[in-house]
Amino acid sequence: MQKVKIPRTVDPARAAQKRLDYDGIIQVSLFKRLFESVEGVKRDAQVSLSFELDEQRLVVISGKANIEVDLECQRCNENFAHECEVKFTYTPYKGEQSEENAPEEYDLVDLNEYGEIDLIQLVEDEFILNLPQIAKHEDADCSVQSNNLVFGEIPEEIVEEKPNPFDVLKNLKD
């Protein structure tokens, strides 16, 4: 199958009736919010999307995507490459009724004013949610060795004696 540009928006009901499948790319320049969350984006996103109707006649959007980004290690402050791979399954949100009827494995997605879904935003949201909470190298690759890290109590030679700020209140009491 030929790789094509993923459309920006799609009507999920029509796409599900036609059982459309998209296999293509989303250009790096379209991920503005992802750029703010990482140090850099290395390549276009590879995306596969499928639209179908399930047994309950709910529209189901399932897909997977991957992209390579640069993150800053929180231990050594050096950049490293991170492969971000996501899988997702959505159904359009159509009020409280759809929220109750949708199976747990489906996430709900809002439609725009034209009844369409913004696929670029959908995939970008998945990438942002999949970023590690604390970005760091593997221990073997990081320039800061784990035996140099201090956990728990701070050593006494590092701690300097600071005056208690509440000592002033004792003078007022007397």
Side-chain angles (χ1 to χ4, degrees):
M1 186 186 301
Q2 180 182 355
K3 294 263 185 194
V4 297
K5 287 184 185 176
I6 301 292
R8 178 171 277 288
T9 60
V10 68
D11 182 344
R14 278 195 199 138
Q17 288 172 349
K18 295 179 182 178
R19 295 185 171 274
L20 290 180
D21 291 327
Y22 292 104
D23 188 21
I25 62 168
I26 298 176
Q27 295 174 324
V28 170
S29 60
L30 299 174
F31 293 131
K32 292 176 178 42
R33 291 180 299 130
L34 183 62
F35 266 109
E36 295 171 3
S37 303
V38 298
E39 296 300 311
V41 181
K42 293 191 167 213
R43 62 173 169 80
D44 294 338
Q46 307 292 323
V47 182
S48 295
L49 295 167
S50 296
F51 295 85
E52 58 189 16
L53 296 172
D54 69 357
E55 298 84 29
Q56 297 178 349
R57 304 292 297 159
L58 290 174
V59 174
V60 178
I61 305 144
S62 58
K64 59 184 178 178
N66 67 61
I67 196 167
E68 191 172 348
V69 296
D70 282 331
L71 298 175
E72 182 180 8
C73 178
Q74 298 299 302
R75 286 189 288 220
C76 66
N77 295 329
E78 293 177 11
N79 289 346
F80 68 97
H82 174 72
E83 182 78 22
C84 191
E85 294 187 25
V86 295
K87 288 185 179 183
F88 48 87
T89 305
Y90 284 98
T91 189
Y93 178 76
K94 297 177 182 171
E96 297 295 322
Q97 194 74 21
S98 69
E99 191 171 346
E100 294 170 5
N101 293 338
E104 276 187 36
E105 57 267 10
Y106 298 169
D107 290 324
L108 298 175
V109 63
D110 288 326
L111 302 173
N112 66 13
E113 61 270 12
Y114 306 111
E116 296 180 333
I117 293 175
D118 186 340
L119 295 177
I120 310 298
Q121 181 179 350
L122 184 91
V123 173
E124 184 178 31
D125 288 345
E126 285 293 325
F127 284 143
I128 292 171
L129 289 171
N130 198 284
L131 290 175
Q133 192 170 11
I134 299 172
K136 56 187 175 183
H137 287 105
E138 295 296 324
D139 285 339
D141 298 334
C142 194
S143 62
V144 175
Q145 300 300 318
S146 60
N147 59 0
N148 292 341
L149 301 175
V150 177
F151 297 99
E153 307 245 344
I154 299 175
E156 290 183 23
E157 60 268 6
I158 297 176
V159 178
E160 58 185 59
E161 278 299 316
K162 294 184 180 178
N164 186 347
F166 296 105
D167 285 342
V168 176
L169 295 176
K170 287 182 184 176
N171 295 338
L172 293 174
K173 187 177 178 183
D174 292 337

